[in-house]
Amino acid sequence: MGYKTLCFGFSCVLLAYFVYSPVPENIEEPWKVRFMDALIKVTSLVATLFENIGLMKYEEVFLTASAIHLTKPISDENITVIDTNFSDIPVRLYLPKGTSEKQRSAIIFIHGGAFVLGSCKMSAYDDLNRWTANKLDAVVLGIDYRLAPQYQFPAALEDCVFVIKFFLQDKVLAEYGVDPSRICIMGDSSGGTLVATVTQLLQNDPEFKDRIKAQALIYPGLQSLDTFLPSHREYEHGPILPREMAIKLASLYVTEDKALPQAILRNEHMPPESRHLFKFVNWSDFLPEKYKKNHVYTEPILGNLNASYPALVDSRLSPLLVNDSQLQCLPLTYILTCEHDPIRDDSLIYITRLRNVGVRVTHDHIEEGIHGALSFTRAPVFLHLGLRIRDKYISWLEENL
Ligand SMILES: *[C@@H]1O[C@H](CO)[C@@H](O)[C@H](O)[C@H]1NC(C)=O
Ligand SMILES: *[C@@H]1O[C@H](CO)[C@@H](O)[C@H](O)[C@H]1NC(C)=O
Ligand SMILES: *[C@@H]1O[C@H](CO)[C@@H](O)[C@H](O)[C@H]1NC(C)=O
Ligand SMILES: *[C@@H]1O[C@H](CO)[C@@H](O)[C@H](O)[C@H]1NC(C)=O
Ligand SMILES: *[C@@H]1O[C@H](CO)[C@@H](O)[C@H](O)[C@H]1NC(C)=O
């Protein structure tokens, strides 16, 4: 009885969100986006409820909802799919079956999920990587890095670095027939954060400099200093990525202490001595005029968080924090942004900063796009936008890798 009542209650809330939450006018497939948005908001509501009554932690509710989409390594007529470990870290490899005269290019894929959710084995990512391997006749390597809150900063990054350094060994590249001069690292959302950081670390490491030909970032998060950029303000309530939910999940990468997400929500989380870092993320300097609209720059309040988290001032969490001389040496870069995305401006700032120091950047902006669409190509919602993003990024790779 209690269970049925509960289900009925949730269905009513879902329906109410579905009917009443508005989605932007110019968005394509608006009913599907509305449904997905409602589903996410209800999950967040249920997660908050369950956490408050001590049934499950906030992130565990999301984890339960996303785990059902994991796939097995199934080879098909074109691609051999293998699950293995590199340096003790689980990876999934996609190897084209056909014989090739020359060595193949390789794409290293780092998935999104706010450092807390997701896997390269999720069906949408499995489809994407299989498609990429087939379309580009390339070797694709997905990394199943460790997730927060069990493994906190910099665990995810360390796993990615270990796997990539393992893969870049001559004997490993030779084993998979990979051309060492045609390797790209790619990732979406928090996977994009990891790509940006890994690329910076490798480029600034004499042993690995120029080993990566290109980086591709799909709506990445690139800083956590200022959470009140124009895009955070405009898309505070979503669609898809409400500011509060994003902050609650992503802050678990740093700590489980609830004081941190609360401070981040107020944009009062940075330590007192960190003012000099804000010049790297100052949207008033780096955002193109068009996106500033009539927003007024307000300086975040510093020193209101008692606990101290070194991660907050670390460029390995916020890749925008490096200086120009470290940006200068970055390889060919592809960045895709969606308009309806609270973390849109991280990318726009990075693009300005990269171009200012002469890095070659291709920028695709999807005016009617939403955050996360690349992973909405499987049940419960199939968005054509996901395939459009995939095709844009693949055609860039076709020309540039
Ligand atoms: C294999 O590749 C061919 C040619 O690209 C394609 O038409 C076919 O659908 C692929 N098979 C699978 C299972 O993806
Ligand atoms: C890969 O490593 C994990 C732990 O890191 C281990 O549990 C698993 O058995 C390993 N798998 C293989 C195929 O070696
Ligand atoms: C941000 O930029 C604006 C305009 O250039 C400037 O007035 C402000 O002092 C800057 N703030 C910080 C913290 O760098
Ligand atoms: C921070 O520390 C001060 C002094 O130790 C204390 O008065 C204040 O309540 C603390 N604030 C929080 C949010 O814990
Ligand atoms: C940039 O940062 C690096 C590493 O922190 C430092 O070694 C270098 O001196 C800095 N360069 C400039 C111009 O500030």
Side-chain angles (χ1 to χ4, degrees):
M1 201 303 267
Y3 178 71
K4 277 187 184 162
T5 315
L6 211 60
C7 283
F8 180 71
F10 290 156
S11 310
C12 288
V13 179
L14 182 66
L15 188 71
Y17 266 116
F18 185 58
V19 174
Y20 292 111
S21 30
V23 296
E25 272 175 24
N26 66 343
I27 230 154
E28 58 181 31
E29 304 184 279
W31 287 101
K32 290 190 195 170
V33 172
R34 197 177 258 211
F35 174 72
M36 194 65 204
D37 187 47
L39 208 59
I40 289 172
K41 284 176 178 156
V42 172
T43 306
S44 179
L45 201 71
V46 171
T48 306
L49 183 74
F50 277 20
E51 181 158 79
N52 288 343
I53 61 177
L55 206 58
M56 253 188 194
K57 288 198 219 164
Y58 185 78
E59 67 279 9
E60 283 169 357
V61 177
F62 283 89
L63 216 52
T64 311
S66 68
I68 37 180
H69 302 301
L70 291 189
T71 58
K72 296 249 173 296
I74 297 168
S75 301
D76 62 32
E77 53 183 306
N78 304 317
I79 307 292
T80 304
V81 183
I82 303 168
D83 280 355
T84 180
N85 282 350
F86 279 180
S87 224
D88 281 337
I89 296 146
V91 299
R92 179 168 285 185
L93 277 163
Y94 298 80
L95 309 168
K97 277 186 176 165
T99 50
S100 174
E101 291 294 297
K102 41 186 194 115
Q103 290 176 315
R104 295 187 158 101
S105 59
I107 289 107
I108 300 167
F109 171 74
I110 307 182
H111 71 82
F115 304 105
V116 175
L117 307 167
S119 159
C120 65
K121 295 169 186 166
M122 276 164 59
S123 49
Y125 291 139
D126 184 65
D127 287 349
L128 169 72
N129 288 333
R130 190 182 294 272
W131 174 273
T132 307
N134 196 28
K135 187 87 180 160
L136 299 176
D137 191 30
V139 170
V140 178
L141 166 66
I143 307 177
D144 247 350
Y145 56 85
R146 286 169 297 166
L147 297 174
Q150 192 182 356
Y151 301 101
Q152 288 174 338
F153 173 85
L157 174 66
E158 282 174 352
D159 286 0
C160 293
V161 169
F162 276 132
V163 165
I164 294 172
K165 287 186 172 174
F166 180 93
F167 185 63
L168 288 178
Q169 295 172 93
D170 292 340
K171 66 174 195 303
V172 178
L173 294 179
E175 183 184 341
Y176 298 111
V178 171
D179 180 347
S181 68
R182 293 170 66 216
I183 298 171
C184 171
I185 314 185
M186 178 279 187
D188 63 322
S189 197
S190 57
T193 319
L194 292 165
V195 172
T197 311
V198 171
T199 309
Q200 288 178 0
L201 291 175
L202 295 178
Q203 273 309 95
N204 288 290
D205 177 342
E207 200 188 331
F208 290 93
K209 187 165 169 41
D210 296 333
R211 300 292 303 278
I212 301 300
K213 178 168 186 190
Q215 60 171 342
L217 317 175
I218 314 291
Y219 40 72
L222 295 168
Q223 59 93 27
S224 55
L225 274 74
D226 188 347
T227 62
F228 208 43
L229 306 179
S231 56
H232 295 128
R233 304 179 195 184
E234 286 171 34
Y235 304 111
E236 180 177 3
H237 301 293
I240 307 299
L241 192 67
R243 182 168 172 269
E244 186 172 354
M245 179 191 86
I247 288 174
K248 270 178 156 169
L249 288 174
S251 63
L252 293 167
Y253 188 34
V254 175
T255 178
E256 286 194 81
D257 184 351
K258 299 272 182 280
L260 180 64
Q262 281 159 13
I264 297 179
L265 273 168
R266 297 191 307 268
N267 209 22
E268 295 180 357
H269 54 293
M270 292 298 288
E273 67 283 8
S274 65
R275 189 169 182 274
H276 66 287
L277 296 174
F278 282 84
K279 63 175 181 289
F280 294 129
V281 298
N282 193 331
W283 63 264
S284 152
D285 293 332
F286 298 121
L287 209 57
E289 286 305 320
K290 172 181 166 200
Y291 296 98
K292 289 186 185 171
K293 298 198 178 150
N294 46 8
H295 295 288
V296 177
Y297 183 83
T298 48
E299 233 175 77
I301 295 160
L302 308 180
N304 263 8
L305 185 67
N306 279 350
S308 128
Y309 299 107
L312 297 180
V313 296
D314 195 323
S315 64
R316 293 174 305 160
L317 184 67
S318 297
L320 263 169
L321 286 187
V322 302
N323 62 31
D324 285 357
S325 56
Q326 287 163 292
L327 285 184
Q328 220 165 6
C329 58
L330 289 180
L332 197 58
T333 299
Y334 176 81
I335 300 185
L336 183 138
T337 52
C338 288
E339 174 54 36
H340 305 281
D341 178 358
I343 60 173
R344 177 200 69 190
D345 293 345
D346 285 12
S347 292
L348 298 176
I349 293 172
Y350 204 42
I351 292 164
T352 306
R353 289 201 55 206
L354 289 173
R355 285 183 174 158
N356 281 351
V357 296
V359 175
R360 280 167 59 208
V361 183
T362 302
H363 177 208
D364 277 332
H365 182 67
I366 303 186
E367 201 55 53
E368 56 284 355
I370 55 164
H371 188 87
L374 192 63
S375 49
F376 302 147
T377 54
R378 275 294 189 115
V381 169
F382 173 86
L383 290 184
H384 283 101
L385 176 64
L387 300 188
R388 267 174 66 204
I389 293 176
R390 177 194 75 186
D391 292 344
K392 271 180 183 293
Y393 138 79
I394 298 260
S395 68
W396 181 81
L397 281 180
E398 255 169 343
E399 283 172 28
N400 292 283
L401 189 62

